[in-house]
Amino acid sequence: MAIRPIITLPDPRLRLVSEPVATFDGELQLLLDDMLETMYEAPGVGLAAIQIAVPKRIVVADATRGDEPKNPMFFINPEIVWVSEELFVYQEGCLSVPDYFEDVQRPARVRVRYLDRTGATQEIEADGLLATVLQHEIDHLEGGLFIDHLSRLKRERVVKKFAKAAARAAPVADKVEA
Ligand code: GNR
Ligand code: NI
């Protein structure tokens, strides 16, 4: 297993629409294990493959708390098939938008259809943190980020902050200077 680097704003690959998984081979199993190890090491409660620059529709998650036994979950080609009318507000963060947290309102409960790591179809009904995390991760598969749910003012402020930090870190790589 290996920890892979997590890409962050303003990396344009975060905006890619990820491709469905078609083959359940050993390479997929290695990728799933690397994603899980990378998520636990970060640490995070979820990770989408695009966050390690792999544009495939794969999510790993573990929404258990520190004092509970681990419960690693794998979701391949996940789809939201039902959402509750009831909403839930959670202060979200994202490993690809480091050190930034804001409240996001989403459906409180979701039903998700997905393939497990053997390729078998499964369904899960989630609430609480797991429901929020699954929606956050499925947004990643469409090139979405939690900041897309904020006001334009808040979103533009955080996007600018990350663009400026990147320009300071690598001024010559990003821009030809006279
Ligand atoms: O670790 C994470 N915590 C989190 C907290 C609230 C809502 C969503 C998340 S997911 C995030 C990890 C991540 O960036 N996954 O894409
Ligand atoms: Ni995220």
Side-chain angles (χ1 to χ4, degrees):
M1 300 221 284
I3 291 163
R4 308 232 205 146
I6 294 175
I7 63 173
T8 58
L9 275 185
D11 194 311
R13 291 171 292 183
L14 290 168
R15 294 307 189 176
L16 291 175
V17 177
S18 292
E19 293 291 335
V21 170
T23 316
F24 288 76
D25 56 6
E27 196 183 326
L28 175 69
Q29 307 304 321
L30 289 176
L31 174 59
L32 290 167
D33 289 340
D34 283 0
M35 285 178 62
L36 193 69
E37 191 178 6
T38 302
M39 179 191 80
Y40 281 137
E41 196 267 345
V45 294
L47 188 78
I50 192 58
Q51 295 182 274
I52 56 165
V54 176
K56 292 186 181 165
R57 302 183 79 85
I58 306 173
V59 166
V60 297
D62 187 338
T64 54
R65 298 183 175 274
D67 55 352
E68 292 169 349
K70 282 184 180 177
N71 182 25
M73 304 176 91
F74 301 91
F75 302 91
I76 297 157
N77 302 345
E79 287 173 71
I80 295 173
V81 295
W82 172 83
V83 300
S84 65
E85 276 180 49
E86 187 197 339
L87 302 176
F88 181 67
V89 177
Y90 200 91
Q91 189 178 55
E92 297 196 20
C94 181
L95 296 169
S96 297
V97 189
D99 305 315
Y100 182 75
F101 303 89
E102 268 298 344
D103 282 356
V104 176
Q105 180 175 269
R106 302 181 185 266
R109 282 171 287 127
V110 292
R111 195 162 182 86
V112 173
R113 185 174 301 149
Y114 63 98
L115 303 178
D116 66 21
R117 54 188 299 168
T118 74
T121 301
Q122 305 285 351
E123 272 192 23
I124 186 177
E125 194 166 313
D127 62 6
L129 175 60
L130 183 60
T132 291
V133 170
L134 284 171
Q135 292 171 82
H136 174 119
E137 302 310 337
I138 292 168
D139 281 355
H140 275 301
L141 306 184
E142 293 299 315
L145 293 169
F146 83 96
I147 57 172
D148 302 341
H149 294 270
L150 307 180
S151 69
R152 203 215 290 200
L153 179 67
K154 282 185 178 169
R155 180 173 57 256
E156 286 179 354
R157 210 184 270 151
V158 61
V159 165
K160 264 190 193 143
K161 185 174 83 104
F162 280 92
K164 274 191 183 161
R168 272 198 304 277
V172 190
D174 286 356
K175 176 165 89 184
V176 179
E177 291 185 311

